[in-house]
Amino acid sequence: MLSLVHPWPAQGRADRPTDADPVADVAIRGCRSVAELYSEAVAGLGLPSRVGELRLFHRHEPALDHVRATVHVDPGPEGFEVGHVQVPTAFADRTPEARAQVLLDAMHGMVCRLAAARGWDVGALERCRRHVVERGMEYHWSSQPKASPDRRHTAYAELRLPPDGYGRVRLLVARRDDGTVVASSDEALAFCTSQGFRRSAASLRWSGKDHVSLVPYDWVPAVRGGLVGLTRDADGWHASVEDYLAVRPVPAGDPGLPALDVVVEGAGATAPEQVPEVTFVGGGPIESRRVERFHRAFRAEMHRFASPAGQEWWGDSGLRLLEVQIFYGGDRPRVRGRRTDQRLAVFVDRPGDSLPIGDQAPVAREVVEEVAALVRRRTGLGPHPGLSRG
């Protein structure tokens, strides 16, 4: 069942950018809370799926004046569904609330488009969108109470995920008999996922009946720390908070700016709205310096192959997708293809020992020319405009 919709990369250190591009960084971090809430609701729908998650990849696209959301509707080899969200430069100028609303619209639109391709009940997904809105687009979670050794008090953690994409945790103590809160700490920095919230809550410990503490920031063992504590003496309960890291801020934005439009579309050979496109899928395994150098040269040649002129050339093929992938293995160098109704997939086999030791560019260019020759044989296209031998 589809049970998880989330931005990718899913996690990172609070004191470092999640993405090198500052606008994409704001988008990824702003998506986390909305995605946690949406996932909370979508998991209850029981949507049948071959994979359990939809990963959202965010990218800054300066040429846009709106948000463009694209979800791949073809079943692929990955263990997850794939969506792409392109945001304009002006995205970061909006307030956190406006950014969250735009990201929710994009997320909900992509899941609905995926639903149309998978045969799910699109109407049921409205409950997911409403679930996010009704909770103010900020994810909150509370742990189960843990009793003190004398059974007179319980302690629990309250966590939330604000727009900067990193959690905040507060430790509370309540009387066990009537639930009245008698002590509360200030907030400490927590991790950026609901799983991290649960790991932090699991660290809650009583040390005798008068002291309780937890570790607020919990990612991996090497990046785990801070301390939140509540201690009772003759004067009552006292709180202490030690943060492990400092979180990077996000822009406050201008509340006077209008909302950004969101355009959602499907992608893939089975998506009618898919425009003809040439894509270099990538390849591997890259297990030596020689392969790494060749892969860089081949990627550069594929960039030329998939240039605007190359895309226009492919547009006359009558197919939607041309996907090229390279494998640094096999028993011999070769280029092979597989054509389906609206897709031509080209596979390049290049064993590592068949690659030159010196200049890689000429061989990479020859391989791309072989790719173009195969495409022409399979489609009847003329010479590629950017290659000497077409």
Side-chain angles (χ1 to χ4, degrees):
M1 296 184 297
L2 182 70
S3 59
L4 181 62
V5 182
H6 64 107
W8 192 265
Q11 48 200 272
R13 289 176 57 111
D15 59 344
R16 299 177 186 174
T18 303
D19 192 284
D21 185 289
V23 178
D25 181 62
V26 170
I28 293 169
R29 293 164 65 190
C31 185
R32 286 176 180 151
S33 202
V34 173
E36 289 285 2
L37 286 168
Y38 200 92
S39 297
E40 197 172 56
V42 82
L45 297 181
L47 302 175
S49 178
R50 63 184 181 84
V51 296
E53 64 178 295
L54 168 59
R55 291 184 184 178
L56 306 179
F57 297 84
H58 294 74
R59 189 171 81 245
H60 174 207
E61 183 50 69
L64 288 178
D65 60 1
H66 62 279
V67 174
R68 181 173 181 239
T70 307
V71 63
H72 292 260
V73 300
D74 298 344
E78 301 89 353
F80 49 87
E81 305 281 9
V82 176
H84 294 275
V85 181
Q86 295 173 279
V87 297
T89 303
F91 173 83
D93 298 332
R94 270 60 185 177
T95 64
E97 296 78 15
R99 295 194 296 261
Q101 183 62 61
V102 165
L103 293 169
L104 172 60
D105 291 345
M107 182 184 306
H108 181 62
M110 285 187 286
V111 178
C112 287
R113 178 63 185 87
L114 197 60
R118 299 287 183 267
W120 302 333
D121 180 3
V122 176
L125 292 169
E126 177 58 25
R127 297 202 296 270
C128 302
R129 189 198 67 80
R130 192 164 58 247
H131 179 83
V132 180
V133 173
E134 289 173 350
R135 283 152 183 79
M137 292 184 284
E138 184 172 283
Y139 178 71
H140 289 249
W141 182 80
S142 296
S143 70
Q144 291 296 314
K146 190 167 186 177
S148 60
D150 64 1
R151 316 299 289 176
R152 295 181 62 186
H153 294 91
T154 60
Y156 60 97
E158 287 186 346
L159 299 103
R160 64 187 183 94
L161 189 53
D164 60 26
Y166 285 88
R168 304 295 191 276
V169 57
R170 188 187 302 275
L171 180 62
L172 300 99
V173 169
R175 287 199 298 262
R176 191 162 179 260
D177 56 357
D178 62 4
T180 300
V181 174
V182 296
S184 174
S185 73
D186 291 334
E187 286 187 321
L189 182 68
F191 196 52
C192 60
T193 66
S194 57
Q195 295 92 335
F197 285 9
R198 285 159 174 78
R199 289 192 298 270
S200 177
S203 72
L204 190 152
R205 297 285 186 275
W206 283 95
S207 300
K209 61 185 176 62
D210 295 323
H211 179 73
V212 63
S213 64
L214 61 77
V215 176
Y217 192 94
D218 196 322
W219 180 11
V220 293
V223 188
R224 180 180 187 270
L227 185 67
V228 180
L230 288 168
T231 303
R232 184 174 57 171
D233 59 21
D235 296 323
W237 290 93
H238 306 278
S240 60
V241 173
E242 298 175 16
D243 277 327
Y244 178 62
L245 295 171
V247 66
R248 298 175 65 254
V250 292
D254 181 354
L257 293 174
L260 291 167
D261 292 331
V262 178
V263 176
V264 179
E265 58 192 14
T270 60
E273 65 267 44
Q274 170 70 57
V275 298
E277 184 178 19
V278 180
T279 303
F280 175 46
V281 178
I286 302 175
E287 297 178 333
S288 70
R289 292 293 301 277
R290 189 196 306 188
V291 171
E292 183 182 5
R293 291 196 305 272
F294 181 84
H295 191 71
R296 284 200 299 266
F298 185 74
R299 187 171 56 217
E301 290 299 322
M302 281 304 307
H303 181 73
R304 189 158 62 98
F305 181 81
S307 65
Q311 301 288 354
E312 185 176 353
W313 168 76
W314 173 249
D316 294 329
S317 68
L319 302 179
R320 291 183 184 135
L321 291 178
L322 169 59
E323 297 176 340
V324 181
Q325 186 172 0
I326 188 165
F327 172 59
Y328 296 106
D331 54 1
R332 60 188 175 88
R334 60 175 177 164
V335 176
R336 51 198 171 89
R338 184 173 68 237
R339 177 172 173 173
T340 56
D341 184 40
Q342 287 293 329
R343 184 200 311 264
L344 175 59
V346 177
F347 305 94
V348 178
D349 295 335
R350 292 296 301 198
D353 58 10
S354 72
L355 302 175
I357 296 176
D359 187 5
Q360 308 278 11
V363 176
R365 194 169 302 118
E366 289 176 5
V367 174
V368 172
E369 289 171 351
E370 291 179 42
V371 170
L374 182 145
V375 172
R376 293 184 60 193
R377 290 195 302 272
R378 292 297 187 93
T379 62
L381 285 171
H384 186 288
L387 301 177
S388 60
R389 291 187 286 180

